[in-house]
Amino acid sequence: MNSSCTAISPNASTMKTVTYEICDPSLFNQAASSINPINTKHQLHFSAALIKSDQSDYFTQHQTQPRMGSFVSLIYHNNHIKVVNETNTCLGYLPEKFLYLKDYLKLKIEFVGMITYQNNNDLMVDIMPL
């Protein structure tokens, strides 16, 4: 199943537009690891259910979750990987198993994606590096 998404980086200094196809993650990971050899066993394109999305800043402010297809990006903060929207409002956190991404984020590699599932308690995102 292929689908495409266009994501615009919220960082005004880079303002990158990326169009990508969601396809077989293993193919993307092979290509990504060849250009970014920090650790080739790490997943650079992945889907994940967020932790504490129902306690996030966004949910607290709006009493609902953001809609499917909304743009997201990652920020490393206080030993957690935060998932934020285009205004840097926290939507939740990646599970601890994704903490290896902090090494990429510290190298200024940006990760973007979109919300692929939402209900009142849960959010799932699809993420890839720029």
Side-chain angles (χ1 to χ4, degrees), residues 23-119:
C23 55
D24 179 9
S26 65
L27 298 175
F28 181 85
N29 289 333
Q30 289 171 9
S33 66
S34 69
I35 60 170
N36 239 330
I38 290 178
N39 188 336
T40 57
K41 69 181 178 185
H42 287 158
Q43 294 274 333
L44 297 179
H45 177 224
F46 58 90
S47 293
L50 300 189
I51 296 171
K52 298 184 179 179
S53 63
D54 60 342
Q55 301 167 23
S56 70
D57 295 339
Y58 187 94
F59 189 83
T60 301
Q61 292 170 9
H62 301 282
Q63 295 302 301
T64 189
Q65 299 288 10
R67 63 182 167 75
M68 283 183 26
S70 297
F71 172 80
V72 298
S73 61
L74 303 182
I75 296 175
Y76 177 66
H77 181 73
N78 288 339
N79 210 34
H80 296 286
I81 306 290
K82 286 175 37 171
V83 178
V84 298
N85 66 7
E86 61 278 350
T87 63
N88 282 336
T89 303
C90 181
L91 306 177
Y93 300 90
L94 288 180
E96 196 171 303
K97 72 179 184 175
F98 292 103
L99 201 51
Y100 65 84
L101 293 172
K102 72 179 180 187
D103 296 330
Y104 295 92
L105 293 166
K106 286 179 179 180
L107 291 171
K108 305 290 187 215
I109 297 170
E110 295 181 60
F111 287 81
V112 298
M114 67 179 174
I115 297 171
T116 56
Y117 173 81
Q118 68 88 248
N119 69 25

